[in-house]
Amino acid sequence: MNNFWERLKRFAYRHKIKLAIFMAFLVLWLFCLPKNLFEDPTSTVVNSADGSLIGARIADDGQWRFPEMDSVPKRFEECILLFEDEYFYQHPGFNPISIIKAIGHNLTKKSRRGGSTITQQVIRLSRKNKSRTYAEKAVEIFMATRLELRYSKKEILRLYASHTPYGGNVVGLETAAWRYFGIPADEMSWGQAAALAVLPNAPALIFPGRNEQIFLEKRNRLLEKLKNKGIIDETTYELAIAEPLPQKPVPLPDVAPHLTERIRNEHSGERITTSIDRALQQRLNLLAERHYHQLKGNEIHNLAILVLDVETRKVLGYVGNSPSGKEHANYVDIITKNRSTGSTLKPFLFASLLDEGQLLPHSLVEDVPTVINGYHPQNFDKKHVGAVSASRALSRSLNVPAVRLLREYGLQKFYNKLKKMKLESLDKPSSYYGLSLILGGAESSLWEVTESYAAMASTLNYFVTHSSTYRTNEFVKPSYLSETEIDLGTPQFDPPIFGAGAIYSTFQSMYEVNRPEGDENWHFFDSSQPIAWKTGTSFGFKDAWAVGVTPKYAIGVWAGNADGEGRPGLTGITAAAPLLFDVLDALPHSGWFQEPFDDLVEVEVCSQSGYRTSVFCDDVKKEYVPTHGTRSGPCPFHQQLFLDASETYRVNSECYPLENMVAKNWFVLPPTIEYYYALSNPNYKELPPYMANCSEMENQLMEFIYPKANEAVLLPKDLGTKTKDILLKLAHQQNNATVYWYLDDTYMGKTENFHELILDIEPGEYVLTAVDNSGNRIQQKLEVLLASED
């Protein structure tokens, strides 16, 4: 053994220079390849959930170069090996026989012949801009042998197919298949595969559309060779040679252009498989185009549609804008842009009040003229109904009840809840938005609003299917990535935002009574499947929203103008809701939400008021309400009256015998509420008058409607005139009462039945007094200002 090592040392010493050269050569060979053979920028490629190409964007260097293929189609492999490198699977990276033949041909003939293997061509493609010399050929052979050691034959073939130029700015087999045939590479016919196999051989000479005869002859010779080798049969050969050659490049699919552009910005140069349902996306594109043509007659040029899967929170459909053209900014992705939310946040407030037991679904809420710290909200139709059930106020999108409920619930408290729902567009403090927050004073995107509705639906679904539990992360951002699994959190017993009972009651209200007021064509909004939906319209008719959820899908629709121009008639009902229902009809049926009985409790409520019953409620019904609904107070509107024996007059012990009194339960509203409620509810029974000589024991028979307490009256300047007429209004619970009006101590007139008085008054401060014919008296300060004053 020792002799062996001695002989080895002597040999190394005698040949040390040769060994040093050999070792240097070996090291050079081992490290001759860069870590990444190709670092060229690639195109952004977007596929639908089924793997179909739905969009692509060109690489940063102006080339159509798709990301590397996963595998090479069998037909193309047979064609390219037979045409370029028949012994690909046998040689070590170069073919000595082919090289010798090429050298002999090039020395004796005017034409040139290549002897490069596919492995050598991969090296040449990676070493772009290198001269085609024999020295360079030697380098290619040297590096090709190393490439054979690093990669398998299949991987080398894949590199070749992914980086071979196919004329113009088309690089790679997959790119060429789409650009020249409009199909994926694995769907190419034998004729198409053969055409692309011969095309890179001399792209300057046989560019598609030019020199077609040469191109045709090369392709057909390859097809004949395939037939002679027994790879294809005679019939296949005849069909293949009859196929036309590719001409100029065809446009790539662009089914979801705004999503593709978004992916280009967020995942540039990658091949992304999205969760988009291709068939649904194509249907949405047609619906968007149809509704755009309807809306543009009113100069409404932009719209957007978003469809989410409630369970997975994946994007199924994404129409970022209408096909309106560049002049109307159709390139803007409306889905991601913040717009005034209109009334789309109202269901969140409704659910919050229900969840905490501050409200029952059908409790009456006030709808009267309201001024809060100078803020004067108005309903869309500028009318008031006095009192309306909470569910109806939600479905009719009444603004005044919403503002009053927000004040009652707490602005900061509701704002905190919206932030917890991850409405990131709310980037200013709650005081910045004020109570107008609930009417569109804040901005959000279709992406955020739709995801919030989806999260509510998912919360409810999970509760009823998973032993009455919730998940910690329901209000999570949706995703358009097919392979990405969204983390919805871990199970817990406490609701993340809203309880299931409150959500179900909210959805039930949105489903049962959400019909456009005064629209004779309600049947247009009927659908073969139920949906909880809400519309919204921003101030100035700039944004029209319609958002809805079923147990499986959340749909968001926006219509308007990207530049913010408002248009008459641009409302959620007229511009967005019809599209919402067309989208709903394009989706599979998903039924209705299951009742979360573990988060509902049965209570008795007054039929007239919707509140929990009191001892004075006669008409009682039972209904399921959210669990915390038991915290709500009893009905405040029912009270017991004492009437005379004929039940015509109210009486009391001062004027009528106790034994003859008749006790009667009565539905009584405060004067201002009653004033408006009676106008829209003809069945409302006003309080009977008091019998003569009976003192009126009521605390509040009268109430000023206008002006409200602490509300200044603003007079417009009128060509120097200092005085202007103002209207004073008062509500009285006795419809036969006479009211006498005083300004300071000056008598101004009297009113009967409808208590409205017009006064010609100068700016200043006054004391307004009203006295009825029974001596009841109310009084408040009145401030009158010119419009130019602060």
Side-chain angles (χ1 to χ4, degrees), residues 37 55 63 167 221 241 243 379 451 503 577 606 621 733 764 770:
L37 274 180
Q63 301 292 305
R221 280 199 299 270
I241 62 174
E243 290 185 41
N379 294 325
E451 81 183 35
I503 294 173
C606 287
K621 65 179 181 179
Q733 285 191 332

Side-chain angles (χ1 to χ4, degrees), residues 524-563:
F524 181 78
F525 296 94
D526 269 331
S527 176
S528 56
Q529 59 175 319
I531 183 172
W533 60 291
K534 183 76 187 73
T535 59
T537 305
S538 67
F539 179 78
F541 303 101
K542 297 179 180 180
D543 305 276
W545 298 75
V547 189
V549 285
T550 71
K552 292 185 179 179
Y553 306 104
I555 309 168
V557 171
W558 177 93
N561 288 310
D563 60 4

Side-chain angles (χ1 to χ4, degrees), residues 718-784:
D718 188 13
L719 300 178
T721 303
K722 292 185 178 181
T723 61
K724 190 74 176 179
D725 290 343
I726 66 170
L727 175 67
L728 306 176
K729 297 177 68 174
L730 176 147
H732 200 295
Q733 285 191 332
Q734 301 296 322
N735 56 11
N736 60 350
T738 301
V739 175
Y740 304 92
W741 299 77
Y742 296 86
L743 205 59
D744 290 337
D745 294 325
T746 304
Y747 172 70
M748 307 303 296
K750 70 176 181 178
T751 55
E752 298 177 352
N753 298 323
F754 296 100
H755 303 290
E756 298 180 357
L757 184 69
I758 297 177
L759 293 182
D760 188 14
I761 192 170
E762 294 184 359
E765 294 184 359
Y766 305 89
V767 175
L768 179 64
T769 305
V771 182
D772 69 7
N773 55 311
S774 298
N776 297 296
R777 175 190 185 96
I778 57 173
Q779 190 176 74
Q780 73 177 39
K781 291 183 179 179
L782 172 64
E783 184 178 12
V784 181

Side-chain angles (χ1 to χ4, degrees), residues 8 29-30 77 82 106 239 244 280 297 343 498 511 628 631:
L8 184 62
W29 182 79
L30 287 173
E77 180 179 344
L82 198 58
N106 295 338
L239 292 173
L280 174 63
S343 297
F498 311 108
Y511 165 56
H628 291 157
R631 299 175 181 175

Side-chain angles (χ1 to χ4, degrees), residues 457-574:
S458 178
T459 301
L460 176 55
N461 288 343
Y462 190 84
F463 182 87
V464 297
T465 57
H466 290 78
S467 304
S468 302
T469 57
Y470 300 95
R471 287 179 291 193
T472 56
N473 199 28
E474 285 287 2
F475 287 80
V476 67
K477 297 297 180 186
S479 173
Y480 52 73
L481 300 174
S482 177
E483 301 301 323
T484 300
E485 186 172 343
I486 295 178
D487 181 15
L488 295 171
T490 56
Q492 63 178 22
F493 288 104
D494 295 327
I497 307 288
F498 311 108
I503 294 173
Y504 179 80
S505 297
T506 300
F507 286 171
Q508 197 71 17
S509 297
M510 294 165 66
Y511 165 56
E512 287 181 345
V513 291
N514 201 341
R515 301 187 176 190
E517 197 77 61
D519 190 342
E520 295 85 1
N521 296 318
W522 161 245
H523 64 85
F524 181 78
F525 296 94
D526 269 331
S527 176
S528 56
Q529 59 175 319
I531 183 172
W533 60 291
K534 183 76 187 73
T535 59
T537 305
S538 67
F539 179 78
F541 303 101
K542 297 179 180 180
D543 305 276
W545 298 75
V547 189
V549 285
T550 71
K552 292 185 179 179
Y553 306 104
I555 309 168
V557 171
W558 177 93
N561 288 310
D563 60 4
E565 179 187 359
R567 295 296 306 165
L570 178 58
T571 66
I573 284 291
T574 59

Side-chain angles (χ1 to χ4, degrees), residues 198 201-202 205-207 210-221 245:
V198 303
N201 185 253
L205 176 65
I206 49 176
F207 188 80
R210 298 201 302 265
N211 304 305
E212 290 192 355
Q213 189 59 38
I214 300 175
F215 190 4
L216 182 65
E217 290 173 358
K218 281 183 171 285
R219 185 200 69 172
N220 290 349
R221 280 199 299 270
L245 292 173

